[in-house]
Amino acid sequence: MDLKRISSSLLFRVVIAIILGIICSFFFPDWLARVFATFNSLFGGFLGFFVPVLIFALITPAIAGLGRGAGKWLGITTGIAYLSTILSGLIAYGTAQLVYPWLLANQGEVEAVDVSEGDLAPYFSIVMDPPFAVMTALLLAFAVGLAMTSVKSDTLYKGSRDLERVVMKVISSFIIPLLPVFIFGMFLSLGMNGNLVDTMVAFGKVLALSVLMTFVFLTLQYALAGAIAGRNPFVAFKNMLPAYATALGTSSSAATIPVTYASTLKNQVETNVAGFVVPLCATIHLAGSMMKITLYAFAIVYMSGLDVSPGLAIGFILLLGITMIAAPGVPGGAIMAAVGLLGSMLGFDDAQVALMIAAYIAVDSFGTAANVTGDGAIAMIVNKFAKGKIPPTVSEEDGSDELAQAISGESDSK
């Protein structure tokens, strides 16, 4: 066991931040706690400024890159991956509506406390207006990305990839290292405002539910894939277990691609089909991440008493499925891409966003494992219809290795 690698990983640092935040909430004086409230105010303001830029910089080349694939099979595979992701979100929303009234009955009045309230008001705050709104960023990225697939400009495409690398450098060198401090401040605030115990108990139930539901959804995926491909779904799932286990350890769909590819071949998927579908789905198929984010988000909506109509909830899920293609296939990427929609559509404040990030990272590996294992099911479906029709593909560098290292604690690419 590599203790140095474990101790430098984001998950380890987040867990330590949560524990320290809880402990320090019992004895920190208000004046010291307000220092962290000030940091959270500034860091939260920066996230609000940066997230629209992140969405535009990451989604634009992702969409443009999709247009450089294998013709109609690119569209078919993308459509299947998106439908799988959206179906996961809709099932999660339906589960939340059905289960939360009794699962979270005792926490119905709990609210993820705003770090700026009461004695924990920041000493000062700075207004950081974003260059454009989150929805504007999403629509602009979608429009520019689609236009680039028609223009076929290598210069413009390379420029968008360069911007993507710059943004990912900001994430890996600034945002990721400071996330534990942000989460520490949030749990410190929860403890000093008296909502810590109820919130932790409630989210413990939601965390367990999210893990269970990823297995339920995998069962549905492989039942459908087995029926279409004419394969035993239990044997197919068993063949994918090495990929599932690897994703549990790495929390990275990108790092798991070689194992996912090898596992997919065991299910009699053609080499070129696996070589095309697996790397593509590592970026655009996030059914497990969607399951977790949706369950967590609507747990906070329920506990906080936010007014979110079914129509708004479905719209959130549909847009989240598009926005998460900005997730670069590394640990925590999906939740970072979702931050903007949580605030703009569901009305989450900084403390609620921090709670989402902490909960997501706590069981990030289970969502990633569900993502990559589901990629194998999609490969079986595509292989049924596209065998012999997809040429070999070569993935492009997107700068995700550095971000993976920043989150996992590794110093060298593997």
Side-chain angles (χ1 to χ4, degrees), residues 312-334:
L312 179 59
I314 293 173
F316 167 77
I317 292 169
L318 294 175
L319 286 177
L320 182 59
I322 298 174
T323 304
M324 284 197 303
I325 68 171
V330 299

Side-chain angles (χ1 to χ4, degrees), residues 66-348:
L66 293 180
R68 300 180 172 221
K72 70 175 182 178
W73 297 110
L74 168 73
I76 292 173
T77 305
T78 302
I80 294 173
Y82 181 72
L83 287 175
S84 175
T85 301
I86 296 307
L87 180 60
S88 176
L90 293 176
I91 291 176
Y93 175 65
T95 301
Q97 295 296 100
L98 180 65
V99 171
Y100 286 167
W102 61 266
L103 183 67
L104 304 179
N106 296 329
Q107 288 84 32
E109 299 301 322
V110 174
E111 182 173 358
V113 180
D114 189 336
V115 295
S116 65
E117 289 182 357
D119 293 334
L120 295 185
Y123 286 109
F124 65 91
S125 59
I126 299 176
V127 177
M128 305 181 194
D129 294 325
F132 35 73
V134 169
M135 192 59 60
T136 301
L138 185 61
L139 293 175
L140 186 62
F142 199 71
V144 173
L146 286 177
M148 286 169 61
T149 64
S150 299
V151 172
K152 305 290 186 183
S153 170
D154 291 335
T155 301
L156 189 59
Y157 181 71
K158 184 177 183 299
S160 70
R161 283 295 183 186
D162 288 340
L163 178 60
E164 177 187 38
R165 284 191 285 271
V166 169
V167 166
M168 292 182 69
K169 182 68 175 178
V170 175
I171 297 173
S172 62
S173 300
F174 180 74
I175 293 179
I176 294 299
L178 291 179
L179 269 180
V181 182
F182 186 55
I183 291 171
F184 169 84
M186 188 271 293
F187 277 88
L188 177 68
S189 176
L190 282 175
M192 297 188 72
N193 282 277
N195 282 336
L196 180 63
V197 174
D198 286 339
T199 301
M200 291 298 291
V201 169
F203 253 78
K205 298 175 183 178
V206 177
L207 292 178
L209 176 65
S210 68
V211 173
L212 174 63
M213 289 303 298
T214 59
F215 284 105
V216 171
F217 194 70
L218 281 174
T219 300
L220 294 175
Q221 285 180 315
Y222 275 86
L224 179 62
I228 294 175
R231 296 275 297 166
N232 186 318
F234 298 102
V235 173
F237 180 78
K238 179 182 177 181
N239 290 337
M240 293 299 299
L241 287 180
Y244 188 93
T246 302
L248 281 179
T250 64
S251 295
S252 170
S253 55
T256 311
I257 284 175
V259 182
T260 308
Y261 175 78
S263 299
T264 301
L265 294 180
K266 293 181 181 179
N267 286 329
Q268 300 179 2
V269 174
E270 189 181 68
T271 301
N272 287 352
V273 175
F276 170 73
V277 173
V278 170
L280 176 63
C281 286
T283 300
I284 65 174
H285 180 232
L286 294 133
S289 299
M290 172 68 84
M291 179 68 69
K292 291 193 307 175
I293 291 176
T294 304
L295 287 173
Y296 299 163
F298 286 97
I300 292 179
V301 167
Y302 181 85
M303 292 188 292
S304 303
L306 296 175
D307 183 18
V308 178
S309 66
L312 179 59
I314 293 173
F316 167 77
I317 292 169
L318 294 175
L319 286 177
L320 182 59
I322 298 174
T323 304
M324 284 197 303
I325 68 171
V330 299
I335 190 62
M336 293 306 301
V339 165
L341 292 182
L342 292 172
S344 64
M345 294 192 71
L346 301 186
F348 281 23

